[in-house]
Amino acid sequence: MMILNHHPFHLVSPSPWPLTSSLGAFLLTSGLVKWFHYYTLDLFFLGILSIILSMIQWWRDIVREGTFQGLHTSVVQIGLQWGMILFIVSEVLFFFSFFWAFFHSSLSPSIELGGVWPPVGIQPFNPFNIPLLNTAILLGSGATVTWAHHSLLCKEHTEAVNSLSITILLGVYFTSLQAFEYIEAPFSIADSVYGSTFFVATGFHGLHVLIGSTFLFVCLLRMMSAHFSPTHHFGFEAAAWYWHFVDVVWLFLYISIYWWGN
């Protein structure tokens, strides 16, 4: 017998995926320890595989609940929006610690650094080469993801798919250039506080670009399967918010670390 809800809230059904995700995370961290001590990657890759499978099946359930079962009502969507906003705020505070470390060292360089910034012996990147190109790429991707959102609202399905595809390609292009820059870097993460702050800050941003590109790719597959409508597309909206956050963080990274800190 089907029981009808007399409220707009979504009471989540029991799910095994939080448990399997936790086990996957445990295997992943244990695999890292095993890798560091015994130089074997079997447990690490088992953890990665467990997390990926849990993600796919968990997202499948959420897509089914929101798209086909109608459980993501307007009230539920407001809660999802606030959850995404709070998540992005936590990410802002996450990067704030990196900027704090950078400015703490650069504004008052210690005697161990030679009393100057960049430290003695460090040859920084030219901010008007690859970093400037990457800035243009991310700004362009921010424009194309906005184009995709506007097309979705205007029921222009083909334009939405094309513009979102361009956004993903720009994200992949950015990541490729970032990897090339790391390979050609004249300093390493072990080169004083400059190397550590540079690679940790830009590296975590690069990780966020990879996550955002994956987020947008999943949205592209859903868009091609007609999962979104002009009034019900929070999955894509959340991905666009996240991508704009990635854009803004890069602007701060470029201005402070690449240009001002040069």
Side-chain angles (χ1 to χ4, degrees), residues 99 102-109 117-118 124-125 127-128 194 251-262:
F99 285 107
F102 173 79
F103 284 112
H104 173 79
S105 299
S106 61
L107 292 174
S108 182
W117 190 267
F125 288 105
F128 301 109
Y194 185 91
L251 287 177
F252 280 99
L253 285 171
Y254 175 75
I255 292 172
S256 59
I257 295 181
Y258 283 100
W259 181 61
W260 179 85
N262 194 338

Side-chain angles (χ1 to χ4, degrees), residues 28-230:
L28 175 64
T29 53
S30 302
L32 284 172
V33 174
K34 186 179 180 183
W35 179 26
F36 295 159
H37 286 273
Y38 301 105
Y39 307 104
T40 57
L41 287 168
D42 50 351
L43 193 59
F44 173 79
F45 285 123
L46 181 60
I48 291 287
L49 179 63
S50 301
I51 291 176
I52 291 176
L53 292 176
S54 298
M55 287 167 54
I56 292 174
Q57 294 174 102
W58 200 346
W59 292 351
R60 176 206 61 191
D61 291 351
I62 295 174
V63 168
R64 181 173 61 240
E65 292 167 356
T67 305
F68 303 110
Q69 296 179 341
L71 297 177
H72 291 180
T73 63
S74 58
V75 175
V76 173
Q77 289 188 66
I78 292 174
L80 294 173
Q81 290 171 353
W82 275 109
M84 191 65 191
I85 290 172
L86 293 175
F87 170 70
I88 292 177
V89 169
S90 71
E91 292 283 274
V92 170
L93 298 176
F94 181 74
F95 277 96
F96 181 81
S97 62
F98 298 150
F99 285 107
W100 183 285
F102 173 79
F103 284 112
H104 173 79
S105 299
S106 61
L107 292 174
S108 182
S110 63
I111 190 65
E112 291 81 7
L113 301 177
V116 294
W117 190 267
V120 176
I122 295 293
Q123 179 186 351
F125 288 105
N126 185 344
F128 301 109
N129 286 340
I130 289 181
L132 183 59
L133 176 59
N134 268 344
T135 302
I137 290 171
L138 273 192
L139 290 178
S141 69
T144 54
V145 76
T146 302
W147 174 23
H149 192 195
H150 179 75
S151 300
L152 180 60
L153 294 175
C154 295
K155 300 181 180 180
E156 298 287 346
H157 183 262
T158 302
E159 281 195 17
V161 170
N162 292 339
S163 52
L164 186 54
S165 300
I166 294 173
T167 305
I168 297 169
L169 290 176
L170 289 174
V172 173
Y173 188 27
F174 175 92
T175 303
S176 302
L177 288 176
Q178 190 81 49
F180 175 77
E181 184 182 60
Y182 280 6
I183 294 172
E184 297 296 322
F187 55 89
S188 71
I189 194 173
D191 284 328
S192 75
V193 70
Y194 185 91
S196 61
T197 54
F198 175 87
F199 281 104
V200 169
T202 59
F204 269 95
H205 176 268
L207 176 63
H208 282 70
V209 173
L210 288 173
I211 295 172
S213 300
T214 305
F215 201 173
L216 291 174
F217 180 71
V218 173
C219 289
L220 176 63
L221 296 179
R222 295 189 62 195
M223 187 178 291
M224 295 172 67
S225 299
H227 286 185
F228 299 135
S229 71

